Amino acid sequence: MEFISLVPTLACRTMTIASFHCAVCGRAYRADHPLWRCDCRGHLNLAPGRGFARGAIVAAEASLWRYAAGLALAGPPRVSLGEGWTPLVRRNWRGAEVHFKLESQMPTGSFKDRGTAVMLNHLIEVGVGPIHEDSSGNAGASIAAYAAAAGILCRVYVPAAAPRAKLVQIAAAGAELRRISGTRQDVTEAVLAATDESFYASHNWQPYFIEGTKTLAFELWEQLNFRVPDNILVPTGYGSNILGLERGFDELERSGEIAVRPRLFAVQAASCAAFAAAWTAGADRFVPFEAKPTVADGIATPRPVRIAEVLAALRHSRGGVVTVSEEEIAPALAALGRIGLFVEPTAATAGAALTQLLCDGTITTDQTTVVVLTGHGLKAADRIGELLGIGGE
Ligand SMILES: [Zn+2]
């Protein structure tokens, strides 16, 4: 396999080997071999990064690899589809000037590419061969595309009833689709049974996925002329963007680049809101709740892996959790469309949350606010047509 060095100036950089720490038992591991969880079955987190300062930006690189010096990789990237450096556009929302971060304009149409690209480069560095993943949505499409670009065999486990459009995107990248009948839990069990055949490259378990999403913090800071916004709203299922933002801003703060952190608001569909259940209960861990179907399928996560870490990040930022009802999502989707932003229903939850926070005074028009739009509307065009009452003729 031949790889092209995209950031040759970094090729000779020496790196200390990153380490993982188990969130359950505290065991430490060197991040120099394939690993997706601790021997105790707990999830792993990367040790805090070394910090990042503006002098390390490779300004000529119009992708997230402009921040390569701040990533815990051993060398320059060996696979990229040009991910990152997405537009930050200003639009008026109910009288407020708001910055919309178009993560929907990634190579596979969702924010996942930020995490996938860095995760896959790490896995290549530690010698991973064939991989598998479980996702019926944007993460599956993302990992299938990056595995194709890297020449790595990829198998994606999906529920038998997964939406056709997303399955087509996964299969078009050449990934093997394994359709599993039954519940989401049945899919998870099929994945765990396959770990002897290939490496479980799970975007929800791999700490390097969050190492990738932290570049969202760097980008917002740079695109706002090296300032941080007051507020950031993010549709949240597992919370990888919240954790990436926390990690990125932490590194900027430790480098003396910023003095304050933005408030982070995790936006959830009220029908399936694990973080909201814990937040409302004042808990720092999972609180049982009733999960119902939601049109925001990308954030319908009944059991997030890093729930304690996400709740801590939200509290540390002085932000919170916002829930939006099913009835609020379609009007937000329509309003975003009318300002030129065609996104999937999951992403529209952030628009609905912004309306709430403006109305109750939590966010004011004199503040700088960023709304992260996580997925493109073309991924769910049929569903959007139904929601907005747009005919097919
Ligand atoms: Zn452990």
Side-chain angles (χ1 to χ4, degrees):
M1 197 182 328
E2 185 181 342
F3 292 109
I4 299 166
S5 172
L6 298 169
V7 188
T9 52
L10 299 171
C12 298
R13 180 163 51 91
T14 54
M15 289 276 306
T16 51
I17 293 171
S19 60
F20 297 136
H21 297 267
C22 175
V24 176
C25 73
R27 182 173 170 186
Y29 296 85
R30 284 161 66 94
D32 60 358
H33 59 288
L35 198 60
W36 69 271
R37 70 177 175 185
C38 180
D39 288 345
C40 83
R41 300 187 165 202
H43 63 272
L44 301 169
N45 291 318
L46 260 176
R50 295 163 301 158
F52 187 80
R54 69 185 77 181
I57 296 172
V58 180
E61 183 62 50
S63 74
L64 65 77
W65 298 104
R66 65 202 285 109
Y67 311 115
L71 296 172
L73 293 170
R78 291 185 281 186
V79 60
S80 170
L81 294 169
E83 56 284 338
W85 203 235
T86 56
L88 183 68
V89 299
R90 282 168 70 134
R91 290 288 184 277
N92 188 286
W93 189 267
R94 290 181 163 259
E97 280 293 311
V98 175
H99 299 264
F100 290 92
K101 181 64 169 165
L102 306 187
E103 296 290 271
S104 46
Q105 293 194 19
M106 289 281 189
T108 73
S110 89
F111 82 97
K112 304 282 188 189
D113 295 344
R114 212 180 269 284
T116 301
V118 173
M119 176 180 81
L120 206 61
N121 275 290
H122 163 69
L123 295 178
I124 291 168
E125 284 184 350
V126 297
V128 160
I131 57 175
H132 66 274
E133 159 78 299
D134 56 328
S135 163
S136 58
N138 293 333
S142 180
I143 198 149
Y146 280 83
I152 292 174
L153 290 174
C154 179
R155 199 167 56 238
V156 182
Y157 290 79
V158 298
R164 175 175 159 75
K166 296 190 173 177
L167 299 188
V168 168
Q169 195 181 6
I170 294 168
E176 179 192 343
L177 267 179
R178 289 267 178 99
R179 296 179 195 227
I180 307 297
S181 301
T183 64
R184 187 68 182 79
Q185 185 59 29
D186 293 324
V187 178
T188 300
E189 283 169 18
V191 164
L192 294 177
T195 48
D196 289 340
E197 300 173 46
S198 53
F199 181 76
Y200 184 30
S202 168
H203 66 289
N204 294 323
W205 284 84
Q206 260 295 326
Y208 269 87
F209 192 86
I210 294 161
E211 183 70 354
T213 58
K214 88 176 181 188
T215 60
L216 174 60
F218 296 165
E219 263 184 47
L220 291 174
W221 161 69
E222 186 181 356
Q223 289 176 324
L224 291 169
N225 199 23
F226 300 107
R227 298 167 73 96
V228 291
D230 297 298
N231 313 296
I232 304 178
L233 281 69
V234 191
T236 299
Y238 278 87
S240 60
N241 265 334
I242 294 290
L243 294 175
L245 288 167
E246 157 86 359
R247 187 172 174 83
F249 290 126
D250 173 63
E251 294 198 28
L252 294 175
E253 190 175 46
R254 282 191 287 110
S255 297
E257 290 286 355
I258 61 172
V260 292
R261 305 271 197 101
R263 292 190 295 176
L264 305 179
F265 293 95
V267 181
Q268 300 217 276
S271 300
C272 187
F275 293 114
W279 186 266
T280 305
D284 61 0
R285 61 196 65 227
F286 180 76
V287 171
F289 69 99
E290 185 189 358
K292 299 179 199 149
T294 171
V295 69
D297 58 300
I299 52 173
T301 306
R303 190 76 192 239
V305 174
R306 294 184 177 83
I307 191 159
E309 289 90 332
V310 172
L311 292 167
L314 296 174
R315 290 202 173 94
H316 185 219
S317 80
R318 301 163 290 107
V321 183
V322 185
T323 56
V324 301
S325 67
E326 295 301 296
E327 293 71 30
E328 290 173 275
I329 297 174
L333 190 61
L336 286 164
R338 298 299 174 91
I339 56 172
L341 304 174
F342 185 52
V343 298
E344 61 177 338
T346 299
T349 60
L354 176 60
T355 299
Q356 279 189 31
L357 296 177
L358 284 168
C359 288
D360 71 15
T362 305
I363 288 177
T364 54
T365 54
D366 60 326
Q367 296 173 338
T368 303
T369 296
V370 170
V371 172
V372 181
L373 297 178
T374 43
H376 204 287
L378 291 174
K379 283 172 168 281
D382 289 347
R383 192 79 184 92
I384 293 170
E386 291 167 16
L387 284 169
L388 303 187
I390 299 167
E393 300 88 52

